[in-house]
């Protein structure tokens, strides 16, 4: 499976489909590394390591990749699935979310907790096999703190029913907004997860389907940082 994935990556690379090829290279290398770890024969293990080193690891040696997406004011078609799905390969098992404004729905910028819940629903649906989500955010101000904690705890308990652990931490100095997957992809959104506009009404198009929800203007930066561990 690893060899076939890398073969596909080479084909995509030759076709100048560099982003897709990078995903395949990443997945193929991880599959091949799993084979190396499971091999008991030291001679075979050495040959596998050498082959991976010679042919594939150099692809990620500089660890650099950057793509920028500009979301225009009132643009549609940028639901979480559309934005994140291509980076959520089957090997993704751990996710880090840093966003200072995962707060209760009564705040001026509404639906923040619901946005995070929707993001979690996407992770649960796959195709990735997420087991752990780490959330770093800031406390809600004033009377909203208890509702914020209650809402996050409810999400945490619900995720547990799907075999997913949600670790929650708070910081008063957090400003950056970024999402990281353990396959090396990192996404920075100017507005964090809260780039959707408030729906016109509870029964208006776009209330349930985020692909149809108008967006605020924002910029999405996608990076890739590969850290190949020596065995």
């Amino acid at each position: 499976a690893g060899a076939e994935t890398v073969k596909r990556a080479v084909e995509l690379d030759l076709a100048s489909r560099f982003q897709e090829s990078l995903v395949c290279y990443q997945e193929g290398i991880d599959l091949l590394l799993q084979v190396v770890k499971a091999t008991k024969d030291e001679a075979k293990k050495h040959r596998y390591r050498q082959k991976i080193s010679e042919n594939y690891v150099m692809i990620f040696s500089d660890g650099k990749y950057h793509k920028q997406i500009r979301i225009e004011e009132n643009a549609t078609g940028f639901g979480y699935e559309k934005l994140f799905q291509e980076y959520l390969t089957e090997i993704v098992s751990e996710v880090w979310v840093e966003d200072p404004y995962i707060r209760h729905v009564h705040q001026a910028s509404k639906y923040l907790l619901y946005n995070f819940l929707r993001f979690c629903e996407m992770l649960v649906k796959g195709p990735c096999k997420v087991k752990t989500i780490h959330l770093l955010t800031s406390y809600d101000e004033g009377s909203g703190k208890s509702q914020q904690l209650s809402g996050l705890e409810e999400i945490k308990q619900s995720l547990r029913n799907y075999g997913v652990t949600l670790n929650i931490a708070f910081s008063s100095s957090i400003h950056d907004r970024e999402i990281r997957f353990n396959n090396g992809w990192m996404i920075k959104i100017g507005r964090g997860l809260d780039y959707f506009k408030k729906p016109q009404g509870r029964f208006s198009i776009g209330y349930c389907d985020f692909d149809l929800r108008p967006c605020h203007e924002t910029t999405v930066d996608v990076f890739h940082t590969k850290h190949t561990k020596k065995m």
Side-chain angles (χ1 to χ4, degrees):
E4 287 298 317
T5 303
V6 171
K7 181 180 177 181
R8 174 61 176 159
V10 173
E11 294 172 352
L12 292 169
D13 207 350
L14 293 174
S16 297
R17 294 165 62 180
F18 302 120
Q19 183 172 319
E20 295 170 80
S21 70
L22 189 58
V23 173
C24 285
Y25 276 127
Q26 162 84 61
E27 192 164 333
I29 288 173
D30 283 337
L31 288 170
L32 290 170
L33 289 174
Q34 290 175 27
V35 172
V36 173
K37 291 178 181 179
T39 301
K40 303 299 182 182
D41 188 313
E42 288 299 322
K44 286 184 178 180
K45 183 174 288 192
H46 177 73
R47 288 199 302 272
Y48 290 151
R49 285 172 175 163
Q50 189 174 30
K51 194 70 174 176
I52 293 172
S53 178
E54 290 174 355
N55 294 289
Y56 310 129
V57 175
M58 62 180 182
I59 296 166
F60 299 102
S61 60
D62 60 358
K64 296 178 181 178
Y65 175 90
H66 181 211
K67 172 185 176 181
Q68 188 173 84
I69 302 167
R70 182 78 174 180
I71 299 179
E72 302 292 342
E73 185 76 6
N74 291 318
T76 58
F78 291 95
Y80 293 149
E81 285 84 358
K82 294 286 183 65
L83 196 61
F84 295 106
Q85 203 68 58
E86 63 182 296
Y87 310 109
L88 290 171
T89 58
E90 292 184 0
I91 62 173
V92 174
S93 60
E94 197 165 8
V95 177
W96 290 263
V97 178
E98 295 185 10
D99 192 321
Y101 299 115
I102 306 298
R103 296 178 174 178
H104 192 250
V105 296
H106 78 273
Q107 292 296 308
S109 183
K110 291 187 177 182
Y111 307 103
L112 299 174
L113 273 178
Y114 284 137
N115 287 346
F116 179 64
L117 175 60
R118 188 63 173 263
F119 178 78
C120 291
E121 289 176 337
M122 176 193 67
L123 296 177
V124 168
K125 287 193 297 185
C128 55
K129 304 293 188 296
V130 171
K131 296 298 181 186
T132 308
I133 301 171
H134 304 275
L135 172 64
L136 178 62
T137 188
S138 61
Y139 280 117
D140 203 339
E141 298 176 356
S143 61
K145 182 177 178 180
S146 61
Q147 288 94 337
Q148 177 195 25
L149 295 177
S150 176
L152 287 173
E153 182 62 28
E154 189 172 342
I155 294 174
K156 182 175 183 178
Q157 294 300 328
S158 184
L159 282 169
R160 189 171 296 168
N161 295 331
Y162 290 87
V164 179
T165 299
L166 174 60
N167 296 320
I168 305 168
F170 295 92
S171 170
S172 59
S173 59
I174 179 176
H175 297 290
D176 292 341
R177 299 169 175 87
E178 68 179 42
I179 295 168
R180 303 189 306 277
F181 306 132
N182 67 328
N183 61 353
W185 290 104
M186 177 172 67
I187 295 92
K188 292 191 173 188
I189 308 174
R191 296 183 62 95
L193 291 174
D194 183 37
Y195 59 89
F196 296 105
K197 289 194 170 184
K198 175 185 175 181
Q200 293 181 346
R202 289 185 299 167
F203 301 101
S204 61
I205 296 297
Y207 186 90
C208 297
D209 190 336
F210 277 27
D211 282 337
L212 300 174
R213 179 85 67 87
C215 298
H216 292 286
E217 181 178 347
T218 192
T219 301
V220 182
D221 288 284
V222 181
F223 302 90
H224 187 280
T225 53
K226 174 60 183 175
H227 305 286
T228 304
K229 297 179 180 179
K230 295 182 179 180
M231 294 176 293

